[in-house]
Amino acid sequence: MTKFPARRLRRYRQAEWTRDLVAESTLSCSDLIQPFFLIDGIGKEEKINVMPGINRYSLDKLFFQLDKVEELKIPVVAIFPCLNDSVKNEIGTEAINENGLICNSIKEIKKRFPDLGVMADVALDPYTTHGHDGILNSSGQIMNDETVETLVKQARIQAEAGADIIAPSDMMDGRIGEIRKELESIGKKNTLIMSYAAKYSSAFYGPFRDAVSSKLSKGASKSTYQMDFRNTNEAILEAGLDVEEGADILLVKPGLPYLDIVFRLKTEFKLPTFAYQVSGEFAMIKAAAERGMIDETNSILESLMCFKRAGCDGIISYFSIDVANELKKMGIER
Ligand code: PBG
């Protein structure tokens, strides 16, 4: 490499146009997935204290949000249910109710917004009284294979309801293969599977558990199925299995503290790779911005661009609508 003064890297940085000209990463609305929390009923809109600006919506209220999403050219929404305790039980039976909140909502959303991608979460935590993603045995361990049987049924009814992307976030072993087999057997050949391939056991999910009302109440720790945050080779093993089992898209979660994992998975598998900027990451930015410690818009835009730089093809972020609005102002859409 030529040395100074022949090479002055500041030449690239002298004006906005030169910086834009040589920029290595781009962020556009088509990279974004907006998550939503759904509740039963009509005309309902509930604030979530730990996630300022994010609400739980009944379906009719959600439609107004989806109008916005479509107008902003955000291609996909991810939906999560927040259920009353009265419909939960030990084994999460409501997860396989084809007339439950999620399946009914998928059908209605696809009817009104046929061109909008809908992503559905596969895991039992919003449906179980104890808040685990799986089914417990009598000593409080999460049973892998028994859980996978339920997850397969859950994925099946979501796909039948019209979900475009099935997203297993449960971290049971072998579930991607079983779900793929089931989808093939019912003729759902085009349903995408976005596997939470490297999902870490993380304190950053705290606000989400509040949002879907799924506080852990008993049983082993989620660290018996979610990954240990000290590990990176294990992420390659996890993702490798999911790729073999038929995952279309790999997801890393949480997001910003795990960009090394994004980079490794992208480099190793070259599959479409996404990251989830989770509720705790959202809350940190919001809280710091509310206290005037950081600039909200610029911090958000920077954080999302960093996902792209690390190798993400797309990002699940609670800020997606805000970001799309900003990009639009900057004249960037697709
Ligand atoms: C559970 C699930 C979680 C999140 C998405 N799916 C929480 C958990 O594993 O306990 C977290 C998302 C977020 O924090 O925004 N299946």
Side-chain angles (χ1 to χ4, degrees):
M1 165 82 79
T2 346
K3 289 213 179 74
F4 178 83
R7 186 149 311 274
R8 288 178 185 268
L9 294 178
R10 288 188 55 194
R11 281 189 204 111
Y12 299 130
R13 306 176 195 143
Q14 60 186 299
E16 193 169 341
W17 71 264
T18 52
R19 295 191 291 272
D20 286 348
L21 188 68
V22 300
E24 298 172 50
S25 312
T26 55
L27 177 66
S28 85
C29 301
S30 58
D31 299 322
L32 303 171
I33 299 180
Q34 174 74 48
F36 283 109
F37 300 109
L38 272 167
I39 44 177
D40 248 324
I42 21 178
K44 288 201 190 146
E45 197 172 315
E46 294 173 0
K47 286 198 164 61
I48 302 165
N49 290 336
V50 287
M51 297 183 75
I54 302 292
N55 298 326
R56 303 183 190 96
Y57 296 106
S58 57
L59 190 58
D60 58 320
K61 288 281 185 180
L62 181 77
F63 289 151
F64 292 107
Q65 298 299 314
L66 299 186
D67 283 334
K68 231 190 283 180
V69 162
E70 270 213 328
E71 196 202 309
L72 289 167
K73 301 193 169 68
I74 294 173
V76 187
V77 295
I79 52 172
F80 296 95
C82 176
L83 301 172
N84 290 328
D85 286 345
S86 59
V87 293
K88 300 183 184 184
N89 66 18
E90 280 277 307
I91 57 170
T93 314
E94 182 63 14
I96 54 173
N97 175 3
E98 59 206 89
N99 296 310
L101 177 60
I102 284 295
C103 286
N104 281 342
S105 302
I106 296 170
K107 286 177 219 159
E108 294 302 318
I109 295 170
K110 290 305 292 188
K111 235 186 263 170
R112 273 170 208 252
F113 300 89
D115 299 326
L116 180 66
V118 176
M119 172 166 144
D121 195 68
V122 173
L124 303 185
D125 52 314
Y127 307 93
T128 52
T129 38
H130 44 71
H132 272 293
D133 294 33
I135 301 169
L136 308 185
N137 65 14
S138 54
S139 46
Q141 303 302 316
I142 291 79
M143 299 189 291
N144 193 86
D145 301 9
E146 292 77 357
T147 298
V148 170
E149 278 178 36
T150 302
L151 298 176
V152 167
K153 290 183 196 151
Q154 184 184 19
R156 174 191 178 127
I157 60 169
Q158 291 173 344
E160 283 172 341
D164 303 285
I165 306 179
I166 299 295
S169 69
D170 53 283
M171 289 302 279
M172 296 301 120
D173 287 324
R175 88 281 203 218
I176 299 299
E178 293 302 310
I179 290 171
R180 177 56 79 208
K181 242 190 282 166
E182 182 74 6
L183 294 179
E184 284 292 317
S185 81
I186 61 167
K188 288 285 174 191
K189 298 188 171 63
N190 277 330
T191 306
L192 291 152
I193 299 179
M194 183 186 295
S195 166
Y196 286 66
K199 174 174 178 179
Y200 286 84
S201 184
S202 172
F204 294 111
Y205 306 149
F208 175 93
R209 292 184 191 158
D210 215 80
V212 300
S213 108
S214 76
K215 286 264 176 293
L216 276 196
S217 65
K218 70 171 199 184
S221 147
K222 284 207 176 193
S223 298
T224 61
Y225 45 100
Q226 299 176 348
M227 281 182 59
D228 187 323
F229 51 71
R230 291 171 293 191
N231 297 347
T232 156
N233 290 326
E234 191 188 352
I236 300 282
L237 291 172
E238 275 288 359
L241 290 168
D242 290 359
V243 173
E244 268 171 38
E245 289 174 32
D248 302 291
I249 302 172
L250 299 174
L251 181 68
V252 174
K253 181 178 171 197
L256 275 196
Y258 294 80
L259 292 186
D260 57 325
I261 309 298
V262 168
F263 182 76
R264 280 201 75 186
L265 294 196
K266 185 68 188 180
T267 310
E268 179 85 17
F269 299 103
K270 304 189 173 54
L271 237 62
T273 304
F274 282 58
Y276 198 141
Q277 184 178 44
V278 299
S279 56
E281 298 174 69
F282 169 88
M284 286 196 298
I285 292 180
K286 274 284 178 190
E290 271 178 11
R291 295 177 63 181
M293 293 171 167
I294 56 172
D295 179 84
E296 179 166 344
T297 304
N298 286 329
S299 307
I300 296 170
L301 285 171
E302 179 180 335
S303 68
L304 265 72
M305 189 63 84
C306 291
F307 284 104
K308 295 295 304 288
R309 188 199 62 224
C312 278
D313 298 285
I315 308 135
I316 306 175
S317 171
Y318 299 99
F319 292 123
S320 291
I321 288 179
D322 298 343
V323 167
N325 264 317
E326 285 306 316
L327 292 174
K328 199 174 171 186
K329 277 192 227 159
M330 293 153 69
I332 305 164
E333 285 189 26
R334 291 196 82 94

